[in-house]
Amino acid sequence: MKAGIKVGPKDAIEVLDKTGARYCEIWFRLDWEDKYTSLFKYLNKNKVNFGLHFWAMVDNKYFPNLLYLDENIAKKTYGLIKKTIDIASKWKAKYVNFHPESYRLNLLDLDKSKIKTLNTDEPVHKKKSFRQLLFYLAKIKKYAEKKKVVPFLETVPKFMPSDFGNIRTGRIKLQKSEGLETERFFELTKLGYPICFDIGHTLGQYITDDRKKLFDYLIKSAKKMLPNIGLIHVTTNVPPFNSTDSHNGVLEGDFKKDVMLDKKQLIQLLTLFKDKDVWLIPEPHEKMVENHFVLKEIVDTIYA
């Protein structure tokens, strides 16, 4: 296991200098490509291992979505992911991480961090949607392999927050997006697709306040996907456990907020990956640097 850090285009170099992190994931917004050039040069010069977390807007207004049954949306999403893989290959990134997304279509405003789900009364056709997803995942995997980039597919929560800039408020006003079920990722594991296991997102697929049931679900899910998990987003969730994540971290201040997971549970979960080459990327809403150092301490504890 390798403890890394998440960075954006604004203060990434400062954060990397401060932490000395050798592994990082970049919050990569495709339409801001030029803003990352100096960061890419820094990473290559200093031999920092990195991957890209794909973000974009389809037609400048929709959340990228390979699952929703609109060929135009899915095809354009594929095209945007493909462009991101090209950029990753050019700058020697290890991977591109992306979401499969949801059975419903969502408006997305990346500038304002807003999400709105459309057609919430529209019936969904899950088998047909999943077949469409498989069609595009096969194309993405083939293309990424040619470009020597790992295409990680990230687990997602059942519902989205309406505002991920102010997620503590936004997660209460849920958007009923119907994200791809974790159980479908079990099938994708059998088909050989690389998986990013997002802890907070995976917890968000199981709606209950029963913490034992939540933890059992998380452990079971991790074990079923274990062979293909090469990337883990390390987060915790505050109550209510209502189908979306809160992007809390792993600091003592987070554990005092009664988050799921507690520290003992987190160590138990991560110990499953002790013998795997897997990156651990923290995704707290705040205090990224502090979370990186604590995550390193947790990894050291597991290997002690």
Side-chain angles (χ1 to χ4, degrees):
M1 291 187 295
K2 300 176 177 69
I5 197 164
K6 187 119 177 212
V7 297
K10 292 182 180 179
D11 60 350
I13 293 175
E14 178 185 343
V15 167
L16 289 166
D17 280 339
K18 186 181 295 185
T19 60
R22 306 307 302 164
Y23 300 88
C24 79
E25 181 170 286
I26 298 170
W27 188 89
F28 182 75
R29 183 168 162 175
L30 183 56
D31 60 331
W32 285 0
E33 179 184 354
D34 292 345
K35 294 185 179 184
Y36 297 88
T37 302
S38 59
L39 173 57
F40 289 153
K41 289 179 178 178
Y42 170 93
L43 293 166
N44 287 169
K45 179 181 178 181
N46 291 278
K47 298 181 180 179
V48 177
N49 300 284
F50 70 100
L52 305 183
H53 191 309
F54 163 75
W55 279 98
M57 292 180 286
V58 175
D59 293 338
N60 203 37
K61 62 179 178 179
Y62 297 117
F63 203 115
N65 200 333
L66 296 170
L67 196 63
Y68 179 67
L69 286 175
D70 181 317
E71 179 62 24
N72 189 50
I73 296 293
K75 186 175 181 180
K76 288 184 177 181
T77 297
Y78 165 66
L80 294 170
I81 293 171
K82 191 176 175 184
K83 286 181 182 178
T84 304
I85 290 170
D86 286 338
I87 295 165
S89 179
K90 174 183 176 182
W91 292 102
K92 298 180 175 61
K94 302 295 184 183
Y95 66 80
V96 169
N97 182 47
F98 60 98
H99 296 189
E101 231 33 75
S102 56
Y103 294 104
R104 301 193 185 279
L105 184 62
N106 307 280
L107 290 174
L108 172 64
D109 187 331
L110 279 176
D111 294 325
K112 296 180 180 179
S113 302
K114 303 286 188 182
I115 298 172
K116 183 179 180 181
T117 300
L118 304 175
N119 308 116
T120 53
D121 295 328
E122 179 182 286
V124 296
H125 304 280
K126 292 187 175 183
K127 289 184 179 180
K128 189 174 180 181
S129 292
F130 190 62
R131 286 198 298 269
Q132 176 179 274
L133 174 66
L134 289 176
F135 172 78
Y136 283 106
L137 288 183
K139 289 168 71 72
I140 289 168
K141 185 180 180 186
K142 183 177 180 180
Y143 190 75
E145 286 175 349
K146 184 173 75 172
K147 293 288 185 173
K148 298 182 179 177
V149 174
V150 178
F152 281 117
L153 188 70
E154 181 178 337
T155 57
V156 293
K158 185 175 179 63
F159 298 146
M160 295 182 181
S162 57
D163 184 342
F164 58 91
N166 184 2
I167 200 163
R168 287 173 178 81
T169 300
R171 70 188 296 264
I172 303 302
K173 189 179 179 182
L174 291 171
Q175 300 299 299
K176 296 190 176 182
S177 50
E178 302 282 357
L180 182 68
E181 305 93 336
T182 300
E183 289 73 15
R184 284 296 195 181
F185 282 83
F186 303 162
E187 298 177 53
L188 294 172
T189 297
K190 292 177 182 178
L191 293 170
Y193 289 104
I195 291 171
C196 167
F197 186 77
D198 187 296
I199 295 173
H201 286 179
T202 306
L203 286 169
Q205 278 286 346
Y206 194 71
I207 306 173
T208 179
D209 285 322
D210 187 320
R211 290 169 183 263
K212 183 182 184 305
K213 287 183 179 179
L214 272 172
F215 186 59
D216 289 347
Y217 175 79
L218 192 71
I219 289 290
K220 174 187 172 184
S221 298
K223 287 179 177 178
K224 284 192 174 255
M225 292 183 267
L226 189 68
N228 289 37
I229 295 173
L231 177 64
I232 300 175
H233 285 171
V234 181
T235 62
T236 57
N237 289 347
V238 293
F241 306 123
N242 65 347
S243 79
T244 191
D245 60 333
S246 65
H247 277 275
N248 282 76
V250 295
L251 306 181
E252 287 306 316
D254 294 297
F255 295 124
K256 288 178 181 177
K257 293 176 182 175
D258 205 23
V259 293
M260 183 76 198
L261 307 166
D262 62 31
K263 192 170 185 178
K264 183 180 178 181
Q265 289 171 328
L266 178 63
I267 291 172
Q268 185 178 338
L269 173 68
L270 294 182
T271 300
L272 294 175
F273 301 89
K274 185 175 181 179
D275 298 322
K276 282 186 64 69
D277 181 13
V278 58
W279 293 18
L280 309 180
I281 302 295
E283 284 199 318
H285 197 62
E286 53 191 18
K287 298 185 178 179
M288 177 62 74
V289 170
E290 293 88 339
N291 272 269
H292 166 72
F293 285 124
V294 169
L295 186 56
K296 285 187 71 175
E297 291 173 5
I298 289 172
V299 171
D300 290 341
T301 298
I302 291 172
Y303 284 111

